[in-house]
Amino acid sequence: MARVKVSEAEKVYILHGIRDDLRVDGRSCEDYRHMEVETDVVSNTDGSARVSLGHTAVLVGIKAEIGKPRPLVPDEGYLEFFVDCSANATPEFEGRGGEELGIELSNTLYRVFNNRSSVDLKSLCISAGEHCWVLYVDVLLLQCDGNLYDAISVAIKAALFNTKIPRVHMSSDEEGGKEVELSDDPFDCVRLNVESVPCIVTLCKVGHRHVVDATLQEKACSVASLIIAVTHRGTVTCAKKMGGGSLDPESIFEMTEVRQTTRNDLGFLCVYDVSLVQAGKRVGKALHAPLMKLLQQEESLGKKRQKVGFLG
Amino acid sequence: MALDMRLPTVRKTVSVSTSVFDRKDMVVPGDIITSDTGFMRGHGTYVDEEMLTASVAGEVQRVDKLICVRPLKTRFNGEVGDVVVGRITEVNWTLSCCSHQISLTRRRSAEDELTMREYLQEGDLISAEVQSVFSDGALSLHTRSLKYGKLGQGVLVQISPSLIKRQKSHFHNLPCGASIILGNNGFVWLYPTMGQQEEEAGGFYTSLEPVSLSDREVISRLRNCLLALAAHKVLLYDTSVLYCYESSLQHQVKDILKPEVMEEIVMLTQQKLLEQEG
């Protein structure tokens, strides 16, 4: 991730601020920055979305291609992720500087999204064992100001909502071989059900409190962070701890009550991270409803919608 | 938990009066300034077929026989006497500050060189004054006054250097309860006003005592106001910052960065500034 240098005195100021629930920009610990979502920004993709969260901007494009299903799961399609850290975002990404971050992001996204509980992979199957839809998800980081995972996950959900996969049907030709035929009508397409696609919430541990949507300065003051993928029902589908610091057991609030209920769906996670997970669940669950409402509102505007794009 | 998610809208530029812009002589690269050969050409111009043409986008300035074009947006070019706020990138026998072009020399004695690392480390913020400019554009800074030196607790805001107005003093104690250093290089430092002591922002003792919540709120509000003014390209100086602060009091601190609130606040600020001028 892009790093900013922060002096010791600035760190102390930020730490005390977070402890008193008043961050440098006036937000409380669980507030997000101003977010803008726009879909259908790239014309030669099947689905695309642009999300700007504060000064972080990401662009996601999805292309659907016909491929061969994986041998172990012949009746499912799959997703492929590629994250490109553009040198526009920060000079650190020049040349091959952003490759490591890109690979790390791609692997995490793969774990979060490419499973049957997040996306209905069976609907991507055309004919079992032979043809299926492969969705190539390309993520481009345009500007980097902290909280990449959250912005990318919202963009992916919006792009999946926007994806229009052409309708196909199987036909057999004279020799008895099977052919895949695309429908002639360019508007005859299938939309994906994105209800259960999770959103990622990043919680950074600063001092004894956690913050959501950390800026680069706040990230420089935190020692560890937890990335949680949460669905609209509040189910945690994936969790990952980043950073070298330990998650402090003394900052737990409702530890005893939640220990029973959450141990089942957390499994490998240490019980000390529980309050962080509770906060993440709450925040993550609250992201879905406004996002779906916004996407449906955008869809209903149809051709009347004023496209803003990148020069707005 | 607050979440502000919306569809993007085209940003409108807020300008209260358009007549101000008509008065200034604005040119873009390639515009012919004059065909009179009696003028000397200054910065930002070149001669093309005996006609003086602008090479940068900006305002034409004429001093007797010298014509130059001052660009609207440019990299920081320091002049002697400018106040800069910078972050230390390297401590060697001299200090490099914020970018390769600036170096700070603090060598009063041999002990100073060796113990410099005790006072200042990589990542620390300092305020200093430009002592001289080298021919290649590099600056030499000094902190030969108690008001300069290492900065303690506070918030740094980075904006374009061309938005900082050149004034007599760049250190201000704002009546709203915080202090500000408007560095000419675009780095603005906000910090809580020190108590009754004479201690200024510089010196080498930094207090790590927690800052009170009310001071914090004032500083956060000022920070958001600065960003709002910078987004709408308003010149920054103590009066404009103060007017913006007053106009923003009716909103919550975190709401100031929403586009519609920003527009409203900046419009009010520009109106107040015009009233004060005229």
Side-chain angles (χ1 to χ4, degrees):
Chain A
M1 200 87 64
R3 304 236 174 275
V4 282
K5 287 210 190 103
V6 185
S7 72
E8 287 306 314
E10 276 177 285
K11 267 193 198 159
V12 167
Y13 185 84
I14 293 175
L15 222 87
H16 288 151
I18 290 175
R19 190 189 63 185
D20 297 335
D21 205 23
L22 181 68
R23 287 153 86 172
V24 163
D25 49 6
R27 287 183 288 155
S28 78
C29 291
E30 291 186 359
D31 286 345
Y32 273 90
R33 285 170 286 180
H34 175 71
M35 201 185 303
E36 283 182 358
V37 179
E38 195 187 358
T39 61
D40 209 21
V41 280
V42 184
S43 52
N44 62 340
T45 53
D46 295 310
S48 59
R50 181 182 70 92
V51 166
S52 71
L53 177 59
H55 283 296
T56 300
V58 301
L59 174 66
V60 170
I62 299 186
K63 285 200 166 115
E65 304 213 349
I66 298 183
K68 211 165 153 57
R70 297 252 160 85
L72 288 170
V73 275
D75 58 342
E76 284 180 1
Y78 57 97
L79 282 79
E80 287 278 1
F81 290 91
F82 178 68
V83 179
D84 184 15
C85 302
S86 157
N88 287 333
T90 152
E92 282 172 31
F93 292 162
E94 199 189 353
R96 295 185 69 172
E99 213 174 291
E100 205 182 297
L101 177 64
I103 294 175
E104 186 192 319
L105 285 166
S106 311
N107 290 340
T108 312
L109 292 175
Y110 196 79
R111 260 176 71 189
V112 171
F113 291 103
N114 192 30
N115 52 68
R116 57 183 81 101
S117 46
S118 304
V119 178
D120 186 9
L121 296 175
K122 284 203 170 24
S123 67
L124 295 175
C125 177
I126 303 174
S127 72
E130 286 171 13
H131 299 106
C132 71
W133 284 111
V134 182
L135 296 180
Y136 290 97
V137 182
D138 294 309
V139 180
L140 179 62
L141 291 185
L142 296 167
Q143 267 185 290
C144 189
D145 192 25
N147 209 19
L148 291 173
Y149 282 101
D150 297 34
I152 292 176
S153 71
V154 169
I156 290 181
K157 183 158 180 162
L160 283 170
F161 179 84
N162 179 241
T163 304
K164 297 178 174 65
I165 301 181
R167 211 182 284 275
V168 293
H169 61 271
M170 302 296 298
S171 65
S172 28
D173 55 15
E174 298 88 41
E175 282 107 51
K178 287 215 192 116
E179 252 185 19
V180 181
E181 271 184 25
L182 254 70
S183 131
D184 284 334
D185 180 6
F187 294 109
D188 185 16
C189 40
V190 173
R191 302 288 290 270
L192 291 170
N193 181 6
V194 296
E195 279 290 312
S196 45
V197 173
C199 275
I200 300 179
V201 177
T202 308
L203 295 144
C204 289
K205 203 110 188 79
V206 182
H208 290 292
R209 300 284 304 259
H210 56 264
V211 288
V212 170
D213 194 14
T215 58
L216 288 175
Q217 283 81 12
E218 287 165 345
K219 193 88 205 295
C221 302
S222 84
V223 289
S225 51
L226 190 67
I227 292 168
I228 303 183
V230 187
T231 62
H232 67 292
R233 286 208 192 91
T235 324
V236 175
T237 58
C238 177
K240 182 175 171 185
K241 179 195 166 284
M242 324 246 305
S246 59
L247 290 175
D248 188 358
E250 277 156 26
S251 67
I252 302 164
F253 302 117
E254 305 109 352
M255 191 169 136
T256 41
E257 298 97 85
V258 302
R259 207 182 288 191
Q260 265 65 44
T261 47
T262 51
R263 223 195 254 269
N264 299 329
D265 48 291
L266 291 178
F268 58 92
L269 250 201
C270 160
V271 74
Y272 296 143
D273 310 334
V274 150
S275 84
L276 267 186
V277 176
Q278 286 304 101
K281 269 174 137 176
R282 193 174 5 115
V283 172
K285 193 171 170 183
L287 271 179
H288 290 272
L291 178 60
M292 288 311 292
K293 192 168 143 211
L294 192 70
L295 290 172
Q296 269 145 10
Q297 183 198 349
E298 199 190 20
E299 176 98 9
S300 66
L301 285 173
K303 293 228 174 4
K304 286 181 287 169
R305 175 166 70 102
Q306 183 197 30
K307 291 207 176 181
V308 175
F310 301 93
L311 302 175
Chain B
M1 181 211 139
L3 179 66
D4 173 35
M5 205 189 281
R6 56 174 86 173
L7 295 175
T9 47
V10 182
R11 254 188 306 162
K12 294 178 283 194
T13 45
V14 172
S15 60
V16 173
S17 66
T18 45
S19 61
V20 183
F21 294 103
D22 294 332
R23 273 191 275 136
K24 288 194 193 149
D25 217 348
M26 298 289 199
V27 289
V28 292
D31 269 0
I32 297 168
I33 303 171
T34 177
S35 41
D36 189 348
T37 49
F39 287 104
M40 284 193 294
R41 61 172 193 83
H43 288 299
T45 61
Y46 65 98
V47 179
D48 182 32
E49 289 171 15
E50 290 183 16
M51 286 187 292
L52 202 61
T53 327
S55 63
V56 290
E59 192 189 327
V60 179
Q61 281 176 342
R62 211 198 95 182
V63 180
D64 276 345
K65 288 267 176 190
L66 177 71
I67 290 188
C68 58
V69 181
R70 200 167 63 93
L72 287 173
K73 189 172 170 184
T74 175
R75 216 171 62 138
F76 171 58
N77 291 317
E79 287 166 26
V80 180
D82 276 355
V83 172
V84 295
V85 170
R87 197 180 286 283
I88 304 215
T89 51
E90 195 190 325
V91 179
N92 219 333
W93 57 276
T94 53
L95 292 161
S96 308
C97 188
C98 65
S99 70
H100 58 277
Q101 52 162 189
I102 298 179
S103 78
L104 182 149
T105 331
R106 215 201 94 82
R107 284 177 302 143
R108 291 214 202 98
S109 65
E111 279 100 24
D112 259 1
E113 285 178 39
L114 299 167
T115 55
M116 209 180 329
R117 214 174 257 283
E118 283 178 32
Y119 303 143
L120 297 160
Q121 291 163 332
E122 278 91 349
D124 277 346
L125 281 169
I126 57 159
S127 66
E129 191 178 314
V130 176
Q131 185 180 29
S132 59
V133 184
F134 295 113
S135 50
D136 60 352
L139 302 175
S140 177
L141 306 176
H142 75 85
T143 54
R144 285 197 198 123
S145 160
L146 271 180
K147 66 177 181 178
Y148 301 119
K150 184 163 149 177
L151 297 173
Q153 289 194 57
V155 177
L156 181 74
V157 184
Q158 284 174 289
I159 48 178
S160 166
S162 39
L163 289 173
I164 308 275
K165 186 169 179 178
R166 281 233 151 94
Q167 285 188 292
K168 264 200 220 136
S169 167
H170 287 259
F171 292 75
H172 303 280
N173 285 338
L174 299 172
C176 47
S179 303
I180 190 171
I181 303 179
L182 290 151
N184 285 94
N185 58 338
F187 282 32
V188 181
W189 177 249
L190 295 162
Y191 60 105
T193 314
M194 293 299 153
Q196 304 303 92
Q197 321 105 298
E198 277 309 301
E199 197 183 327
E200 283 112 340
F204 293 106
Y205 169 69
T206 43
S207 157
L208 293 176
E209 292 295 315
V211 175
S212 71
L213 205 63
S214 53
D215 278 346
R216 244 179 231 288
E217 219 183 293
V218 170
I219 290 178
S220 298
R221 193 177 278 279
L222 277 171
R223 175 212 183 253
N224 287 353
C225 286
L226 280 170
L227 289 174
L229 288 172
H232 288 276
K233 308 280 185 276
V234 176
L235 210 56
L236 289 172
Y237 53 112
D238 56 339
T239 317
S240 66
V241 174
L242 202 58
Y243 284 169
C244 192
Y245 178 87
E246 284 162 12
S247 317
S248 76
L249 283 171
Q250 40 177 304
H251 300 276
Q252 272 199 325
V253 180
K254 58 185 171 188
D255 291 337
I256 297 176
L257 291 175
K258 290 192 185 153
E260 67 276 3
V261 178
M262 255 205 282
E263 277 171 25
E264 186 192 321
I265 293 176
V266 172
M267 183 122 40
L268 284 171
T269 311
Q270 283 180 325
Q271 275 171 356
K272 264 193 191 170
L273 285 170
L274 274 180
E275 276 168 38
Q276 189 218 22
E277 268 176 47

